Amino acid sequence: DTEVTQTPKHLVMGMTNKKSLKCEQHMGHRAMYWYKQKAKKPPELMFVYSYEKLSINESVPSRFSPECPNSSLLNLHLHALQPEDSALYLCASSPIRGTGGRNTEAFFGQGTRLTVV
Amino acid sequence: AQSVTQPDIHITVSEGASLELRCNYSYGATPYLFWYVQSPGQGLQLLLKYFSGDTLVQGIKGFEAEFKRSQSSFNLRKPSVHWSDAAEYFCAVGAAQYQGGKLIFGQGTELSVKP
């Protein structure tokens, strides 16, 4: 199984709503990532989790709150978003670099298309 | 600072013609380099990667790329393009403190294929 599964595929939410995005992988990867991709732009890294602990936060506003409850799951909790937060949110996972001395690559999910109204 | 430049925003080629997508990177050490493809509204699929060794890398779907350190380039090639290759292509470099998914992407090149 080399899949990263993201749910939901599409989400429309109001600016006062609270919602969550979910990401799941069963490849035994211990690094997981959230990326944000605006239309016609490249993905931009938001958060990195290593061994279920937040290791990188790329100065993301607090209205985005990540959570990694176990080694297979990654959530992104959303609250009080703005219309400019509308984007494709991509989750990825990879082995931790250096494991067994091998370099690694990331596997991406299909993304959640978020629209904030 | 690390960066990736894809000089061509949009390229159109005829089906059956050859393809080359350009990618230049800026990185002090030996870079980890990747090419990803993205169909509209979809996630990213890895085409190929370069970590070390042979500078000509073979990937999936008939793609290859050549790492040229002297030119700081990692151009993607395909000898004969198929209509299904129409998509957005991203070149990426593994960022500092690299883990498998900590990537810096270029702006992307949109490929259109004429029948």
Side-chain angles (χ1 to χ4, degrees):
Chain A
D1 182 3
T2 58
E3 277 197 359
V4 175
T5 303
Q6 290 188 243
T7 54
K9 290 192 179 351
H10 301 276
L11 178 63
V12 179
M13 62 184 290
M15 289 187 284
T16 59
N17 292 159
K18 288 185 181 181
K19 296 287 185 183
S20 297
L21 309 185
K22 180 180 173 182
C23 174
E24 191 167 7
Q25 56 90 14
H26 296 287
M27 294 177 277
H29 293 168
R30 302 304 296 276
M32 297 186 76
Y33 313 80
W34 280 115
Y35 279 83
K36 175 181 179 179
Q37 185 179 22
K38 301 282 282 182
K40 301 294 187 183
K41 295 292 186 183
E44 293 182 336
L45 185 66
M46 300 174 71
F47 302 104
V48 179
Y49 272 82
S50 301
Y51 298 110
E52 296 85 67
K53 293 192 187 314
L54 183 65
S55 59
I56 296 174
N57 176 342
E58 295 285 2
S59 303
V60 178
S62 60
R63 57 186 184 269
F64 296 90
S65 176
E67 178 197 22
C68 190
N70 61 56
S71 60
S72 300
L73 280 175
L74 183 66
N75 298 320
L76 186 62
H77 303 298
L78 313 173
H79 173 55
L81 293 192
Q82 303 298 310
E84 58 263 30
D85 295 321
S86 299
L88 182 68
Y89 288 84
L90 294 163
C91 173
S93 72
S94 76
I96 295 286
R97 179 182 182 235
T99 301
R102 294 164 57 189
N103 293 301
T104 61
E105 66 186 70
F107 293 81
F108 281 83
Q110 294 299 295
T112 293
R113 174 74 60 189
L114 174 68
T115 303
V116 181
V117 297
Chain B
Q2 296 157 286
S3 66
V4 178
T5 302
Q6 294 179 245
D8 304 306
I9 295 173
H10 189 205
I11 284 182
T12 300
V13 299
S14 298
E15 191 169 16
S18 63
L19 171 71
E20 182 169 29
L21 302 183
R22 296 184 291 165
C23 172
N24 294 98
Y25 67 89
S26 173
Y27 187 59
T30 299
Y32 301 134
L33 294 163
F34 307 84
W35 275 99
Y36 284 89
V37 61
Q38 185 177 37
S39 297
Q42 300 296 309
L44 299 171
Q45 182 181 26
L46 181 66
L47 289 175
L48 46 77
K49 59 185 184 283
Y50 173 79
F51 290 137
S52 65
D54 193 347
T55 57
L56 185 61
V57 180
Q58 301 297 318
I60 63 171
K61 303 185 179 187
F63 286 94
E64 66 177 28
E66 186 170 12
F67 171 62
K68 293 185 177 180
R69 184 187 300 276
S70 61
Q71 298 176 19
S72 297
S73 69
F74 188 57
N75 294 348
L76 182 71
R77 300 193 293 248
K78 187 169 184 178
S80 178
V81 170
H82 188 263
W83 64 267
S84 60
D85 293 324
E88 188 85 21
Y89 290 80
F90 291 100
C91 182
V93 64
Q97 301 170 9
Y98 172 70
Q99 296 174 12
K102 190 168 183 281
L103 300 166
I104 295 173
F105 289 88
Q107 290 299 305
T109 297
E110 182 180 5
L111 174 65
S112 297
V113 180
K114 290 190 301 185

